[in-house]
Amino acid sequence: MIRFQLLGSMAAHGENGPVPLGPARQQTVLAVLLTDLGTPVSFGQLIDRVWGNAPPQRARETLHTYLSRLRSVLAGTHGQPLVRRGHSYVIELDPATVDLHRFRILSAQARDETDDGHAASLWAEALGLWQGAPFAGLDSDWLAARATALETERLAAALEHNDIQLRRGEHARLLPALIAAAGAYPLDERLAGQLMLGLYRCGRQADALAHYLQLRTRLTNELGSDPGQTLQELHHAILRQDPSLAVTGPAEAPTANETKSQIPADIPGFTGREDALRQLDASLEAAGDPPSTVVISTIGGCGGIGKTTLAVHWAHRARDRFPDGQLYLNLRGFDPGGQAMSPGEALRTLLDKLGVPPERLPSTLEGQAGLYRERLAGSRTLVLLDNARSVEQIRPLLPGSPGSMALITSRDDLAGLLATEGARPMWLAALDDDRARQLLARRLGPDRLEAEPEAVDTIVATCAGLPLALAIVAARAATRPGFPLSAFAGELVSGPPLDALSISDPATDVRAVFSWSYKALAQPAARLFRLLGLHPGPDIGLDAAANLARLPIPQTRRLLAELTAAHLLTEHAPGRYAFHDLLRAYANELLHATDIETDRLAALRRMLDHYLHSAHAADRWLPASRDPITLAPPEPGTIVADFDGNTTAREWLNRELPVLLAIVEVAEEAGCDEYLQQLAWTMATFLLWRGQWHLQVTVQDAGLRAASNLGDASGQADIHRRLAYVHKMLGRRDQAHEHSRQALELYRAAGDHTGQARTHLGIMFLFEQEGRHHDALRHAQQCLSSAHLSCHRLVLALAHNAVGWCHTLLGDHEQAISHCEKALPELEELGELATMADVWDTLGHAYHQLGRYPEAIDYYRQAVDRCRELGDHRHEAAHLVRLGGTYEAAGDPDAARQKWRTALKIFEEIQHPDAKGLRERLAASGSVR
């Protein structure tokens, strides 16, 4: 039998584990049919509910495909439950197998139940089915509307459950959940009344009255109304301490499980960790039934990532799996007080929770541990050990016999526990953007988010997926419902974001939470953590970290391991380390507060030197027809990457490109203009090869500003020329012409014939793109004249190729071949392999136009092979496109399509804009893949 989950992320579980449900749209079809279980849904309704007002062109065919696949998925579930009736489809299943319908069945039973104890159990079971926002991750307006309605049903169920718990005298245990729920639904008067009653019964009359005044103010300001009659009467009863507010009868004796369940209250609106919940479920199921082993699971992650919230939520969800109780202990491993609980103190506390009187406690730690395990032997008990500091602190607290489970949260990686006790580790990462929005929506309501999407984007980006940060913003917004979200977003971006996330409670202040992990570090690791605050991210390699700290690589590796174990860093790939932006901001704050300016500036220069000199060393392996530059020596002790060939150089550039782009910003913010100008030169060829024109514009514009600040006219001319080419490739002809004009003026003023020749070459390509072939030839000839004056052999060869290319465009193919043949010997002697490929491409074009296809194919093949050998994939693809055209003209369409498909794959891999046109060309030929 398959059971379906709609109250959370869409999922299905069969007897052998999770059942794959296919892509998101297919899951949406299933969710629609399961929501209306037993009710036929017409084909047209399905299309409307799945795609709304924007169905794809072949929606009916696509829907048929999804339905056919779903029939296969559902086959064997008591026959075939997906049935077609006329033009409609219906799923016929036991409603109890779908959590949504089971929730409604249990809710109906609870409402009909006259015994409060049984009703409370039914409500608890019904609410326990909720694993997150309904239909999470599915994109359907119809489902979104149903999800909103279901949230209303969930709240109604929770309120009914609250009433019963209050009648049974369970106000103390219920109060934390009431406080959290009131924050999420600040205008719900029934919930406000329950909270007021709970506070009053817990001896907090003043807080109950304050909550009433706060609600009345909100209602007056937002709705222009007063609280209802029922709430007003409750307010007056609390004022006069009416005896009727006491529990009307003795609280029912709690069950054994309730007596021993000491888990803190669950967090209303928990969301975003569905995968982690499934992983915890799996760790329990792996032990078998009955369990054959002690299950030990660890939840690791940085401060504020939501370890405790996840553990508590799962403990509530898995309560029935531990009929003998649930123990909870905060080990204070990373607490504001800085004093972690000792193993002896922890054992004494746990034994006290198990009912062992102090006089029966053994005197030794070993004796206490033995008694503790004896008390748990043969039971099925969950022991939640929260905020652990070390393996030594935890090991005596582990159950010793099958059936029980230890669930441990820690900022340490607890590697020893994994190695010796076989613990199952789980590392919590930051929430992705979608889950971060889900968290905000659960706390603030979807309408408030939809009203200010840009502010929500800013909040999500600045909070960097840290649940604690998101929860703080949500809490502040919930207590100020009249404030726009843009006000909170503005606080986050207008100053240090940690200031906007600072609150009076040290247990939930983001900066304070980070500090507990930092203070636990040894001094060398703490220094490295601070220095990493200089690095812009998104990640850093081992050699760059060693360079930043000016330490040997082996020592740096050990310190990075310490930071990783403390979850202040993550090693997301071998040798690549990262932390989220809020931790980077915290590290930078510490750096400026702790380290003197000279040390900070020295580290900054080492970082810039590392990336500039390493990128320059890599660039030297990329063939390019340009003159080299000479860099100033790096800072003493700077580590510079070393490369043994074109492949390793390109791999380094590919890996470090996001970092290099961020380093450009760092250099500009720091006013390091010389670095910035040289970085722009160093990155130009690689970005050109990748065809990343927009990134090239960003980098070269920054380099141009730096050259201008330095008063370097020659440097400005070079960058204007590079920008002219990039704007040409982006189709921005006016900007391309303007940059070319400025480059020519600067080169002429300096008497730089080489620069003028290169600029005329760029203008030639610009006119060629515009179809002005005679103007293109004129500039190619001016390029040739300037090249003769400069006596620059490479530029002279480039000019001959340019003149040849223009001649073949104008139909004078023999003249084109003559110029190319003048260029080739020069290039061969210079060893300019990349430029030789360009000349072969021109010869291929000329011979193609002459109808001499075998010779054209031979030249194109040479060009392709040379670019492939050099790793110049952009030009390799361009040559393949023209080679395919020659095969097509020669009557071999299959070979043509094969070359085009190879070229398309390259264009797509490097995200080249020419991919679109080539895809259309292949489609027109009857083949894309």
Side-chain angles (χ1 to χ4, degrees), residues 602-624:
L604 174 66
R605 293 189 70 86
R606 286 196 304 273
M607 179 176 72
L608 294 175
D609 274 334
H610 166 76
Y611 285 109
L612 173 60
H613 283 264
S614 297
H616 184 260
D619 175 79
R620 291 169 62 186
W621 286 98
L622 306 183

Side-chain angles (χ1 to χ4, degrees), residues 106 110 118-129 157 161 165 316 319:
L106 291 167
H118 292 158
S121 297
L122 290 167
W123 283 122
E125 185 179 354
L127 291 165
L129 294 170
H161 191 208
Q165 291 174 289
H316 280 279
R319 187 170 176 171

